[in-house]
Amino acid sequence: MCERLTIARPDDWHLHLRDGAMLSAVLAESARHFARALIMPNLLPPVVTAADARAYRERILAALPAGADFTPLMSLYLTEETDAEDVARAAGEGLIHAVKLYPAGATTNSASGVRDFDRVRGVIECMAEIGLPLCVHGEVTDPEVDIFDREAVFLERVLEPIRAATPGLRVVLEHVTTEEGVAYVREGGADIAATITAHHLSINRNHLLVGGIRPHYYCLPVAKRERHRRALVAAAISGEGRFFLGTDSAPHPDHAKESACGCAGCFTAPNALSILAEIFEREGALGRLEAFASLNGAAFYRLPVNGGRITLTRQPPEYPEKIETEQGAVTVFDPAIPLHWSVAE
Ligand code: DOR
Ligand code: ZN
C-alpha cells in the first residue's frame, strides 16, 4: 500500500477568495497547499477592468501570511461594457490569465453578467486572437429550464454557437457537473478544457436532499445524479490533459447558507487535496493525481509547472470543522467519506 506521494505543487484553477475580512480569513487555507490559483472576479462590485484586477491582486498579496509562497492569477468579469483593448493590454502585461463569463443571474454576484451574448462578441473575438481563455459558468438562466438540465442546455444553446462563431477561442467549462459536459469537452478539440471540483467528485444530489436539506452541499451548478458524478470521477482520473482541478472553493458565512434562501458555495480549500487523494486512491489512480492537480492546468494556461513539491502522507487530515471569520463561522465541506491522506507540512 502506498504511504506517501510527492507531486509538483498543485494549482487551483477556480477559486473564490472574496475581499476584506473574508479574504484575510480564508486565504491561508489555499496558500498552504496551492502554489497558484485563478482568482474569480465575482466581487461586489465585480472585477471588470485591468485597474480593478491590479488593485484586487494587491489586496490579496497584502493579506498573505508572512512567508507564504502563493501567486494569485487574476481574471476579469465579462460585462456587456467590457473594453476589448483593456482586456488585451492586461493579458499582454501578464496581469490577467482569463476572462470569466457569467450569464446574468446564474449564480452569486452574477447580476452584472452577460444577458445578450452578441454584445460581448468583440471582446470574445479579441480573446480568440490573443489566445486568452474564456472561463464559462455553463448554465442557462431561462426560468423554463429545469435547474438540473441547465448545464446541458447551455452547451447547445450558448457555448456551441459562441465557439462555432469564434474559431480559435480557448474555453474552460468551469466546474463541469454532467456526463454531457464531460463528453462535450472530450469531443471539443484542443481549445476546450474543463475544471472539476472536489465537491462534485464527492457528492450527488442525494447528499443534498435525502434525509433533510443540507445547505452546505448546495452549490452551483447544483450536484447532479450519481451517474454524472461517476462521469466526473472518470474524467478526473483519466489523466487526459483537458481535465484539471478548479476547486470553486466558495466561502459563505454559515448564517448565509443556513437560511430560508441559502447561498450557493462549498468551502473546500482546507481539505480539497485530501479529498482528491481519497477519491483517486479508491479508483486505483493515485499515480494520476499529479496530472489532474498540478500538470494539466498549467499546460492549458501555458504556464510552467510549479517548481516546488508537496508530499501527501497516509494519515487522516486535521482541519477545523469551521473557520472563524469577522463575518461569522464558515463551515468546511464534509465529503461524506472518511479521509486518509494529509498534506505534510
Ligand atoms: O456554488 C457556487 N458558489 N457557484 C458559483 O458559481 C459561485 C460561487 C460563489 O461565488 O459563492
Ligand atoms: Zn465559482
Side-chain angles (χ1 to χ4, degrees), residues 16 18 42 102 107-108 137 175 218-221 248 250 252 264-266:
H16 297 271
R18 316 303 190 201
N42 63 333
Y102 289 103
T107 187
T108 309
H137 182 107
H175 39 54
Y218 176 60
C219 62
L220 287 170
D248 198 15
H252 292 275
C266 296

Side-chain angles (χ1 to χ4, degrees), residues 85-97:
E85 273 177 35
D86 185 53
V87 169
R89 216 175 304 117
E93 287 169 18
L95 171 66
I96 62 160
H97 294 266

Side-chain angles (χ1 to χ4, degrees), residues 78 82 84 87 99 101 114 117-132 134 136 158 162-163 165-171:
L78 183 60
T82 292
V87 169
V99 171
L101 164 64
V114 177
F117 293 93
D118 285 339
R119 299 191 56 178
V120 294
R121 187 166 295 162
V123 178
I124 289 179
E125 281 168 4
C126 162
M127 292 175 63
E129 263 166 47
I130 64 178
L132 183 68
L134 179 70
V136 301
V158 182
I162 290 177
R163 294 184 64 232
T166 329
L169 180 67
R170 310 184 70 232
V171 170

Side-chain angles (χ1 to χ4, degrees), residues 45-340:
V47 180
V48 174
T49 65
D52 296 339
R54 199 172 290 115
Y56 185 29
R57 184 170 180 280
E58 289 306 315
R59 298 198 295 280
I60 296 169
L61 293 175
L64 272 174
D69 175 12
F70 176 80
T71 304
L73 306 174
M74 308 312 290
S75 65
L76 294 184
Y77 186 117
L78 183 60
T79 73
E80 292 177 8
E81 280 73 49
T82 292
D83 171 15
E85 273 177 35
D86 185 53
V87 169
R89 216 175 304 117
E93 287 169 18
L95 171 66
I96 62 160
H97 294 266
V99 171
K100 177 76 186 271
L101 164 64
Y102 289 103
T107 187
T108 309
N109 301 348
S110 62
S112 317
V114 177
R115 284 184 174 75
D116 178 354
F117 293 93
D118 285 339
R119 299 191 56 178
V120 294
R121 187 166 295 162
V123 178
I124 289 179
E125 281 168 4
C126 162
M127 292 175 63
E129 263 166 47
I130 64 178
L132 183 68
L134 179 70
C135 295
V136 301
H137 182 107
E139 289 190 287
V140 291
T141 53
D142 179 349
E144 301 289 310
V145 178
D146 188 275
I147 189 163
F148 291 100
D149 300 332
R150 287 181 172 198
E151 181 172 289
V153 173
F154 180 88
L155 302 174
E156 51 180 73
R157 255 197 220 172
V158 182
L159 189 53
E160 185 52 30
I162 290 177
R163 294 184 64 232
T166 329
L169 180 67
R170 310 184 70 232
V171 170
V172 182
L173 179 60
E174 296 295 329
H175 39 54
V176 61
T177 60
T178 58
E179 217 170 48
E180 291 89 339
V182 166
Y184 182 83
V185 169
R186 263 204 182 116
E187 291 155 14
D191 291 330
I192 187 161
T195 54
I196 304 179
T197 76
H199 52 280
H200 289 111
L201 290 172
S202 309
I203 60 165
N204 61 36
R205 64 193 200 178
N206 279 10
H207 292 85
L208 175 67
L209 294 170
V210 171
I213 187 160
R214 315 273 171 173
H216 294 288
Y217 287 151
Y218 176 60
C219 62
L220 287 170
V222 70
K224 310 293 194 299
R225 289 173 181 278
E226 177 63 8
R227 77 178 153 83
H228 295 292
R229 190 190 70 85
R230 291 298 322 164
L232 303 180
V233 170
I237 68 169
S238 69
E240 287 167 69
R242 60 182 76 239
F243 297 108
F244 44 86
L245 175 62
T247 66
D248 198 15
S249 179
H252 292 275
D254 285 354
H255 63 79
K257 291 197 61 76
E258 298 167 7
S259 145
C261 184
C263 294
C266 296
F267 179 53
T268 55
N271 58 4
L273 289 175
S274 296
I275 295 171
L276 292 179
E278 186 70 33
I279 290 171
F280 276 63
E281 181 173 51
R282 285 174 180 224
E283 301 294 323
L286 259 186
R288 289 197 289 272
L289 180 59
E290 185 178 42
F292 181 68
S294 315
L295 307 181
N296 296 349
F300 187 83
Y301 278 96
R302 300 175 174 163
L303 290 171
V305 172
N306 296 306
R309 301 178 76 71
I310 60 163
T311 297
L312 290 138
T313 57
R314 181 185 300 286
Q315 205 169 13
E318 282 174 27
Y319 53 84
E321 210 173 299
K322 294 171 192 289
I323 303 278
E324 297 303 326
T325 83
E326 277 176 32
Q327 293 170 14
V330 176
T331 293
V332 177
F333 177 75
D334 170 4
I337 49 172
L339 300 180
H340 302 91

